[in-house]
Amino acid sequence: MSASLVAGPIAALVEATTRGGHSPRAMVDAALAAMDAAHVGPEGLNAVLWRDDAEARAEADRLSAAPPAHDAPLLGVPIVVKDNIATTILPTSCGSRLLDGYVSPFEATAVTRLRHAGAVIVGKANMDEFAMGSSTEHSAFGPTRNPVDPSRVPGGSSGGSAAAVASGAVRVALGSDTGGSVRQPAAYCGIVGVKPTYGRVSRHGLVAFGSSLDQIGVLARSIDDAARVMDVIAGHDPHDATSLVAPLASCREALTARLDGVVIGVPSEYFTDALDPVIRDRCERALDALRVLGATTREVHLPHTGLAIPVYYIVAPAEASSNLARFDGIRYGQRRVPPGGGLTELYETTRSAGFGPEVTRRILLGTYVLSAGYYDAYYRRAQAVRQRIRDDFVRVFASGVHALFTPTAPTVAFPFGAKADPYEMYLSDIYTVTANLAGVPALSLPIGRVGGLPVGGQLLTAHGDETTMFRVAGALEALLGEEAHR
């Protein structure tokens, strides 16, 4: 089956399937052929860790034999899912040897909703171990390579999902975003990445890293593709106590051609002298396009932005230290018992052998900031500053600004091994962590290239206002056209 069958937008794929032009089985066969052609496995990009082609074809055959009686807006659409989102057929290893081969007894709510909409899961994507990283160099199964330039990283931690989409293997994938892990790889790979409002998409079945920060997101080839998937996976879930009750208006129906009356804020803290001049130039071009579309722009201030990285790297490791305590070789994980060892030795051996260096580093940091004598000095103070970061966003959006525009990342995709210093790597998230700390929706879309490498622009809107975010992003994408990819 020709891989080109799944090259078109989701709307065209679904229309062809619904009208009988192509069967779900044909779509899945084409996607599997596209994955092979793009070399997404370990011998190539190393973007997809787990596949069960026979099960994917069987699921497509079931859809063909008994099409859903309800509306199926993703009928036959092949989708790749990040390896920390639970599925009942494929393993959920979180990119870690500690969970190598683990198959969940239940699936994530987001996956259930995709399947209910007619989508077929065709693979699980590589990732930084337990979603801790900004380059997908920290996977226990080896790094993922960027399809744009295989000598460079695809970003992280959802680098496998981004590479699978950018390579043309699939049109859309799910990732998770704790501090930019959907948006930054989307920027590096030249695709769209969406982090919804905290609680908009159920976290049930997402292996927890930072529970107050984590959010399942979408990586796609276009704004329309991303909107269609968001409309499916968003919504209240009784299995997730942090799930928002308020329904989400259709993101796809929010897409318009003009932005008359829309006010775009440009935060001065994101456009400092430290920003690469060529990335600034691409951002200015995007702002010019927004003005052409009828929007007005104004400079705004988010004064606590400079504290976001230190706050994030206190809060996130603290939550990770607690969440990862369950991986002890008894409740979860590959058990390793030394000869003659007891319970303490089992814990030490299992966790020491199972966790990689970056995960170990963050667990130690998180345990330290939560320990007696340091909790008030670090964690409590970080939470107080986090509230000020939230307040900055509330104040700006209350002032009449509908959306903010910023760079997604301070640089383009960097070569493997270029950021050996952990702090330098952490700075890759400098423009993205604020959205997670504040809980607001954010989206990255391509706005041009520098030396052949993609540059992403980021849009942020008020809490719960994904529709405005998609409206602005869709209009900007349409106007930029091919300019966004050169």
Side-chain angles (χ1 to χ4, degrees):
M1 180 60 63
S2 172
S4 62
L5 186 61
V6 291
I10 284 179
L13 301 184
V14 173
E15 183 178 10
T17 306
T18 304
R19 293 188 177 183
H22 298 292
S23 67
R25 172 62 182 268
M27 294 293 184
V28 169
D29 283 341
L32 297 175
M35 292 167 73
D36 291 337
H39 303 290
V40 297
E43 75 289 345
L45 297 175
N46 199 27
V48 175
L49 293 178
W50 316 114
R51 289 170 58 173
D52 187 333
D53 294 4
E55 176 58 32
R57 290 187 172 104
E59 177 71 11
D61 287 339
R62 287 191 287 270
L63 288 171
S64 298
H70 56 271
D71 181 39
L74 299 177
L75 183 61
V77 174
I79 292 183
V80 165
V81 175
K82 189 175 179 179
D83 193 33
N84 62 344
I85 300 174
T87 52
T88 54
I89 301 298
L90 297 170
T92 301
S93 70
C94 296
S96 177
R97 291 295 181 192
L98 194 69
L99 289 178
D100 190 6
Y102 171 75
V103 178
S104 172
F106 67 95
E107 68 182 9
T109 296
V111 172
T112 299
R113 289 177 175 172
L114 288 174
R115 293 177 61 247
H116 183 74
V120 179
I121 310 303
V122 295
K124 298 292 286 289
N126 199 6
M127 57 181 284
D128 285 301
E129 185 180 9
F130 286 102
M132 298 184 193
S134 302
S135 63
T136 318
E137 292 176 285
H138 298 295
S139 169
F141 303 100
T144 295
R145 285 164 276 281
N146 191 324
V148 179
D149 180 349
S151 70
R152 294 174 181 265
V153 303
S157 62
S158 304
S161 295
V165 173
S167 69
V170 289
R171 289 288 304 188
V172 67
L174 291 190
S176 67
D177 193 311
T178 306
S181 290
V182 163
R183 291 159 288 151
Q184 184 246 35
Y188 282 3
C189 291
I191 60 173
V192 173
V194 181
K195 183 207 85 72
T197 300
Y198 180 77
R200 180 65 75 194
V201 177
S202 172
R203 291 186 297 114
H204 177 66
L206 172 66
V207 179
F209 165 14
S211 299
S212 73
L213 303 160
D214 294 340
Q215 189 61 82
I216 290 176
V218 179
L219 298 106
R221 297 291 295 276
S222 71
I223 296 296
D224 186 79
D225 286 351
R228 289 172 184 272
V229 174
M230 271 298 302
D231 284 349
V232 167
I233 65 174
H236 178 66
D237 177 19
H239 292 107
D240 178 3
T242 63
S243 175
L244 295 178
V245 175
L248 173 66
S250 172
C251 295
R252 182 174 59 84
E253 292 178 4
L255 303 181
T256 59
R258 294 287 300 174
L259 298 177
D260 298 289
V262 174
V263 179
I264 306 294
V266 183
S268 58
E269 292 80 7
Y270 289 71
F271 290 89
T272 65
D273 292 339
L275 179 64
D276 190 321
V278 290
I279 292 180
R280 179 191 291 270
D281 176 72
R282 297 302 181 274
C283 289
E284 292 293 346
R285 185 175 69 175
L287 287 167
D288 287 341
L290 290 169
R291 297 183 190 103
V292 169
L293 290 164
T296 58
T297 60
R298 75 163 76 146
E299 183 176 328
V300 297
H301 298 285
L302 299 168
H304 295 93
T305 296
L307 299 173
I309 286 291
V311 167
Y312 176 83
Y313 281 101
I314 290 174
V315 174
E319 295 184 4
S321 172
S322 175
N323 282 324
L324 269 63
R326 71 195 70 177
F327 301 108
D328 53 14
I330 296 177
R331 290 167 289 185
Y332 297 95
Q334 298 277 357
R335 181 178 300 186
R336 292 175 172 83
V337 185
L343 185 63
T344 299
E345 288 75 21
L346 183 153
Y347 288 160
E348 290 177 349
T349 304
T350 297
R351 289 167 67 84
S352 296
F355 290 138
E358 182 60 28
V359 175
T360 301
R361 181 183 297 112
R362 297 199 194 192
I363 290 174
L364 291 174
L365 176 59
T367 303
Y368 176 79
V369 300
L370 291 175
S371 62
Y374 297 100
Y375 180 91
D376 289 338
Y378 291 102
Y379 186 73
R380 188 185 298 276
R381 185 173 295 180
Q383 290 288 20
V385 177
R386 180 182 186 178
Q387 184 59 52
R388 296 194 178 194
I389 291 171
R390 287 196 192 104
D391 293 343
D392 287 345
F393 282 94
V394 171
R395 175 183 50 78
V396 165
F397 290 125
S399 71
V401 171
H402 298 102
L404 299 173
F405 180 85
T406 76
T408 306
T411 66
V412 294
F414 49 86
F416 286 104
K419 297 192 176 184
D421 176 27
Y423 184 71
E424 186 180 1
M425 181 73 79
Y426 297 164
L427 290 176
S428 299
D429 303 327
I430 193 169
Y431 297 142
T432 53
V433 295
T434 50
N436 300 82
L437 292 170
V440 299
L443 178 155
S444 177
L445 76 163
I447 59 171
R449 297 205 173 194
V450 173
L453 298 173
V455 175
Q458 181 177 222
L459 291 164
L460 305 94
T461 49
H463 189 277
D465 191 13
E466 282 87 353
T467 51
T468 296
M469 181 176 73
F470 273 95
R471 178 190 175 192
V472 175
L476 179 58
E477 177 190 64
L479 184 61
L480 288 177
E482 287 304 311
E483 288 296 314
H485 299 283
R486 60 172 179 251

